[in-house]
Amino acid sequence: MTVGGPARGRTGSAPVDTDLGPGLVGTPPADAGPVPGRIGTPRGGAGPASGRASTAPADAVPAPGRPGAAAPLGTRPPAGRGGPAPVDALLAALAGHLGRPLPARYEAAVRAVPRHLFLPDRLWLRDGAGGYAPCDRATDPGGWMRAAYADTTLVTRFTDGLPSSAASMPSMVLRTLLLADPAPHHRILELGTGTGFNAALLAVLAGDGRVTSVELHPGLAGRAVAGLRAAGRDPLVVTADAAGGWAPGSPYDRIVATFSVDRVPPAWLRQAREGGRIVTPWTSSWCSYGTLGLDVRPGGAALGRFHAFASFMPMRTPGGGSAHPAGERPAALPDSTGGTAMTRLSPWSVAGGDLDAEFHIGLSVPGASFAWDTSGEHAHTRLLVLEADGPSWAAVDHDGRDAARFAVTQAGPRALWDEVAAAYRLWDGLGRPAVGRYRLTADADGTQTVWITVEGSRAVPVRTLPAAL
């Protein structure tokens, strides 16, 4: 699935149940010093996660594979010398990640879809130093095959020096499919074909003729079709704007996105059958994390909850993208006019690795992203808070000595640090709710509201989202 830059407005890594790609320069070092009240630690070595862009002219491209056919001879991964076949190693890794073996029909799907058929001959693997090293099938066939069946994200393409396409972490693919729970009688819409691996799994689980997959990039769609054909699968692959779904095949029992969104596109709700389910990774400028499972109710409304796994790249639309890309500092910032104040709220508390806190802040402070600056140019360690589509910014500086007070500078129409601090205080006052306690309601009129369940049944609204993309 395609990636196109940092997946969230933060640097660092995430727990093992996320699908993350490359790190960004500027992550606070591990020896930055203890900070009272700090929740988690600054993290290094992760950043953009895999996800999907989603716009292109509509143009149906039928995949030419054979319905129900087994993979052709020579497509199965070879067994390692003295060890299990790569798919067995992958299934063992998936069982370890999930804490239990895959259900039988999902295991059968993984065995029926050779992952290596959907990968290019050159992959980029993490090099242990914050970058990537190429792994070529021609020069290192054993290493390439091991990577193909490892439970890890594989970068498959770079654009402008950044990963722009990746094959998702298999455990994240399977957790998403388990949440969607596709059945043989379901009509399924996948948004973001990417390599085609996920579409192939869906085709095994529901039937080739019941799966439609939408891909932005015609070149990726063509390569996915080739992989599907090699694996003997025949879902319909189309190039189109995924924000618009694919109306010709609607209504769908399951709609599964492979990129993250910050609200549910109205077309998805319109194209879902009553009683159907929409599953999509979630994002905000501050934190791309969590997966939404949304059940469609009578009259076009929907209700769902967030689940604490997965981080994917956000959906892109024509003319989209933020003024300050997540995790990147703009070339110049407007001068501050408000002077410097002090805060006792540690910057690590809001941007140091507590994904529950960051998830809440991302919902509560729209358009705010952050980046760590450890260059020493301004302070020992600086947290820079940026407004995605405006001139406001804030900087929170740690002098390397005082772990209880931090200097704050703010500029622009929005007092961004004040907004972040207020969101954190609300989250803290509500008992620091985990991602799984957040719910989303989508009304038939297009209104979408995120809220938290507290004290048993009390609902606390967090934010009403814009009605349309």
Side-chain angles (χ1 to χ4, degrees):
M1 40 199 72
T2 294
V3 296
R8 52 190 171 183
R10 57 181 322 286
T11 58
S13 61
V16 292
D17 61 347
T18 59
D19 180 17
L20 295 178
L24 296 176
V25 175
T27 303
D31 60 356
V35 180
R38 170 178 175 180
I39 304 173
T41 58
R43 300 166 296 164
S50 68
R52 160 106 264 101
S54 63
T55 56
D59 179 23
V61 183
R66 302 184 306 280
L73 292 176
T75 62
R76 297 294 175 186
R81 295 179 181 177
V87 70
D88 293 323
L90 175 59
L91 286 166
L94 294 175
H97 180 96
L98 297 171
R100 65 187 188 282
L102 281 174
R105 67 191 190 99
Y106 290 88
E107 178 179 336
V110 173
R111 290 189 179 278
V113 180
R115 190 185 186 213
H116 69 282
L117 296 180
F118 298 88
L119 298 174
D121 288 339
R122 168 170 284 194
L123 303 171
W124 280 268
L125 310 178
R126 296 305 295 265
D127 62 7
Y132 290 87
C135 179
D136 288 309
R137 188 174 190 175
T139 58
D140 185 10
W144 186 93
M145 189 64 74
R146 285 190 296 274
Y149 288 89
D151 187 24
T152 188
T153 300
L154 302 173
V155 174
T156 58
R157 185 174 65 178
F158 280 80
T159 301
D160 297 329
L162 292 173
S164 57
S165 185
S168 294
M169 189 176 181
S171 57
M172 293 301 97
V173 171
L174 269 298
R175 289 191 70 169
T176 301
L177 293 180
L178 287 165
L179 181 57
D181 192 25
H185 63 281
H186 285 159
R187 292 189 62 82
I188 297 175
L189 176 64
E190 181 197 36
L191 300 165
T193 312
T195 66
F197 177 69
N198 193 66
L201 293 173
L202 285 168
V204 173
L205 292 166
D208 291 271
R210 291 187 167 273
V211 177
T212 299
S213 184
V214 178
E215 170 56 49
L216 162 68
H217 194 285
L220 285 179
R223 286 190 287 276
V225 166
L228 288 161
R229 181 178 184 178
R233 307 316 312 181
D234 190 27
L236 176 67
V237 177
V238 300
T239 56
D241 181 353
W246 185 250
S250 64
Y252 299 100
D253 299 284
R254 297 291 186 268
I255 296 177
V256 182
T258 67
F259 50 77
S260 58
V261 297
D262 60 4
R263 73 211 75 167
V264 181
W268 300 3
L269 293 164
R270 292 193 299 268
Q271 293 172 21
R273 189 187 305 276
E274 181 180 315
R277 178 172 296 173
I278 299 169
V279 176
T280 180
W282 197 256
T283 193
S284 68
S285 297
W286 194 266
C287 175
S288 182
Y289 184 68
T291 300
L292 174 66
L294 194 64
D295 294 320
V296 180
R297 297 185 164 190
L303 173 65
R305 63 177 287 250
F306 292 91
H307 301 260
F309 73 89
S311 176
F312 286 78
M313 282 301 302
M315 179 174 67
R316 300 281 177 149
T317 57
S322 68
H324 305 321
E328 294 184 12
R329 175 176 175 162
L333 293 171
D335 291 336
S336 168
T337 57
T340 300
M342 302 301 294
T343 181
R344 292 188 178 276
L345 176 60
S346 165
W348 282 272
S349 292
V350 301
D354 188 325
L355 291 172
D356 293 327
E358 293 178 20
F359 181 83
H360 179 88
I361 292 168
L363 289 169
S364 303
V365 189
S369 66
F370 69 85
W372 290 99
D373 180 358
T374 57
S375 67
E377 179 181 356
H378 305 285
H380 178 277
T381 305
R382 165 171 284 193
L383 177 70
L384 186 61
V385 183
L386 303 167
E387 183 180 18
D389 297 310
S392 300
W393 62 274
V396 185
D397 293 337
H398 172 43
D399 62 9
R401 299 183 302 275
D402 189 346
R405 287 162 51 87
F406 308 88
V408 178
T409 306
Q410 302 188 85
R414 294 176 64 182
L416 286 177
W417 179 251
D418 292 349
E419 292 184 36
V420 169
Y424 180 85
R425 286 194 296 269
L426 174 60
W427 176 77
D428 186 54
L430 291 171
R432 302 187 173 190
V435 171
R437 285 173 57 187
Y438 290 74
R439 305 291 187 268
L440 185 142
T441 302
D443 297 328
D445 64 1
T447 302
Q448 298 179 28
T449 303
V450 179
W451 44 282
I452 310 172
T453 56
V454 295
E455 299 174 356
S457 60
R458 185 167 69 95
V460 176
V462 176
R463 183 181 170 211
T464 298
L465 305 172
L469 291 170

